[in-house]
Amino acid sequence: MLTSIFAVSVAGILLGLRFKAPALLAATALLLIGIVAWNYLGWPGHVTVGKFLILVFVLASAYLVGLSLPVYRNRNKG
């Protein structure tokens, strides 16, 4: 679970640096599709609804951090 939280955080920050809100919606849908496929195939590490909600929250939070990084960086330059 820790690896997936780290991966989703990095993806969220990178999305926030480059893309706007529709990309967050697409990433959330892709996360849902990936989790459903993971559970359907029966691979180890069954993902529950609670874990999915945690991952979506982490993705959205990291996205907001990624959005705020360029603003913070430009503020400190001037």
Side-chain angles (χ1 to χ4, degrees):
M1 183 70 183
L2 186 60
T3 305
S4 59
I5 289 175
F6 178 74
V8 167
S9 298
V10 170
I13 290 173
L14 292 176
L15 279 172
L17 286 172
R18 178 71 177 106
F19 299 106
K20 300 302 174 207
L24 179 62
L25 295 174
T28 303
L30 187 63
L31 180 64
L32 176 64
I33 291 167
I35 287 174
V36 168
W38 186 274
N39 288 338
Y40 179 74
L41 293 173
W43 291 343
H46 185 75
V47 181
T48 62
V49 174
K51 289 180 184 177
F52 169 71
L53 292 176
I54 289 170
L55 290 175
V56 168
F57 177 76
V58 167
L59 177 66
S61 299
Y63 177 78
L64 291 175
V65 168
L67 279 179
S68 65
L69 282 176
V71 174
Y72 179 75
R73 190 175 0 159
N74 290 337
R75 178 182 275 181
N76 287 337
K77 280 185 180 179

